[in-house]
Amino acid sequence: RMAAGVAGLEEALELRDASPRAVEACAAALSGSDTDAWDVAEIFEKLREWLRRDLGLTQKLLSEADLQATIVDSLRRHGDNLEVARLGAGVVAGCCQRSNHNAEIMVAAGVVQELLWLMDRHRSDTLAQDNACVALWRLAERHGGGAEAILLQGGLAQIFRAAEDHGHNPFVQVNVCVAFERLLSRGGAPSDGMLEVANRAVQLHPSNMQIKRGAQRLREALETLAPAGLPGAVLASAGGKAFGRPSAQRSPSSGAGGVGSGGGEKGAAIRRWGQRPWQDGATGDAAGGISRRAVLPRTLAPTTDGSTFLAATTANASSTTAGRPLG
């Protein structure tokens, strides 16, 4: 039976187009306890190929095979492998493209936690960052709680960090802009620092039309959706200080000064605007990296040069994580 299963998988991976039998073979292999990371990567590569070739058919077959949660579990078990991380994030993005059904199931299965963990684990890899950003904005734009889960679990901090760490990659920059725009429109995300990211992306890649369009959409969303008097006003009062990525600093204390609270009028503004309704959560893991179960409070915090930024919402932002076009 095992030999037949292996033969079935090998046959499935040779197919140009998805079929019920091929998808069932992939599902069985992903569910197997003896499947290694490289097998998972190969399956993810084939699923992504099928999704790109015929999105509707492949999504239908994946749903009939109940593969959404299995894909998330495979990311959880094998995400240390870079190829699994790269390809798995791409599969999540394809599964959720124009599909509320798949997005809702994957969010319930914990896909946001896994994507953010992958971004932290593979912080230096530009392809993993890009694919994860696409997956996040695809989740955020669908119904099913994706935008809320991303905000609650610290996704803004990871996206800010991807933007700064991978300024050389135009695809990361445009997908960061799209992710911010979706989180503003769908999840009511705080807007602090987003305009600086958009402007920086255009400055880094002045001739890239995708970035110009993405940045312009984000600017329009900031003008129409960002609530008056939120963090952007703090940035303006700070003299428009340059972009700074979120990092895991202490949340504002009740003291009059120091890191996290800020003294004087600006510190009062930070304390007044910093807390959001979805900030409750636990601390990160002991090692300082992102915990799949950890959420830190989201706050505004001053940098050492007096500017402000959205402080980290997960323990991962203090630890050490690509080029694909939109979609």
Side-chain angles (χ1 to χ4, degrees):
R1 182 177 300 174
M2 182 178 295
V6 172
L9 178 61
E10 291 179 351
E11 180 182 341
L13 296 178
E14 293 295 324
L15 293 179
R16 180 180 183 276
D17 299 300
S19 70
R21 184 175 177 181
V23 171
E24 289 171 4
C26 292
L30 289 176
S31 301
S33 59
D34 59 342
T35 304
D36 67 25
W38 293 108
D39 290 333
V40 173
E42 195 170 2
I43 293 168
F44 279 171
E45 184 174 29
K46 179 56 67 172
L47 293 178
R48 196 175 184 198
E49 177 187 329
W50 288 338
L51 285 162
R52 286 179 165 179
R53 181 164 289 119
D54 192 330
L55 179 68
L57 173 63
T58 306
Q59 286 183 339
K60 178 177 179 289
L61 295 176
L62 293 179
S63 183
E64 290 174 351
D66 295 323
L67 253 179
Q68 302 98 327
T70 302
I71 290 168
V72 177
D73 187 61
S74 296
L75 281 175
R76 184 176 294 118
R77 290 186 291 125
H78 301 287
D80 278 331
N81 182 285
L82 179 57
E83 287 303 309
V84 170
R86 289 171 169 175
L87 295 166
V91 170
V92 172
C95 285
C96 298
Q97 184 176 356
R98 300 196 298 272
S99 176
N100 292 325
H101 176 69
N102 287 343
E104 184 174 3
I105 293 174
M106 287 187 148
V107 169
V111 71
V112 172
Q113 287 178 327
E114 300 314 315
L115 288 170
L116 298 181
W117 187 87
L118 294 176
M119 291 180 76
D120 187 69
R121 176 65 179 84
H122 304 289
R123 174 177 177 175
S124 63
D125 187 76
T126 195
L127 184 57
Q129 297 299 303
D130 181 53
N131 290 345
C133 284
V134 176
L136 289 174
W137 71 251
R138 287 267 173 80
L139 286 163
E141 71 179 0
R142 309 315 309 172
H143 298 295
E148 293 82 0
I150 292 166
L151 295 175
L152 179 64
Q153 297 176 38
L156 277 182
Q158 289 286 23
I159 297 169
F160 269 108
R161 191 172 70 180
E164 182 173 353
D165 288 353
H166 300 274
H168 63 283
N169 188 329
F171 302 116
V172 171
Q173 298 302 304
V174 69
N175 284 311
V176 163
C177 289
V178 175
F180 284 155
E181 186 269 329
R182 299 296 194 272
L183 290 170
L184 276 169
S185 61
R186 293 285 186 174
S191 59
D192 185 52
M194 291 184 181
L195 180 59
E196 287 74 15
V197 171
N199 292 340
R200 178 174 180 263
V202 173
Q203 291 169 2
L204 289 171
H205 305 277
S207 62
N208 188 294
M209 293 306 299
Q210 276 192 318
I211 289 179
K212 288 181 179 178
R213 286 193 293 268
Q216 182 58 31
R217 289 188 62 176
L218 177 55
R219 292 189 191 105
E220 292 171 357
L222 288 167
E223 291 174 0
T224 58
L225 297 173
L230 275 174
V234 181
L235 275 177
S237 71
K241 292 291 185 179
F243 165 85
R245 78 170 181 269
S247 60
Q249 297 192 15
R250 293 172 293 180
S251 58
S253 65
S254 58
V259 174
S261 63
E265 183 178 350
K266 184 166 64 178
I270 291 169
R271 291 190 293 274
R272 183 167 64 251
W273 286 321
Q275 299 297 329
R276 306 292 290 169
W278 28 255
Q279 286 177 340
D280 297 334
T283 58
D285 60 18
I290 185 171
S291 166
R292 283 183 165 96
R293 302 290 177 263
V295 181
L296 291 181
R298 180 177 281 106
T299 63
L300 280 176
T303 60
T304 55
D305 66 358
S307 62
T308 59
F309 57 81
L310 185 67
T313 59
T314 56
N316 62 324
S318 62
S319 64
T320 328
T321 39
R324 299 275 185 194
L326 284 176

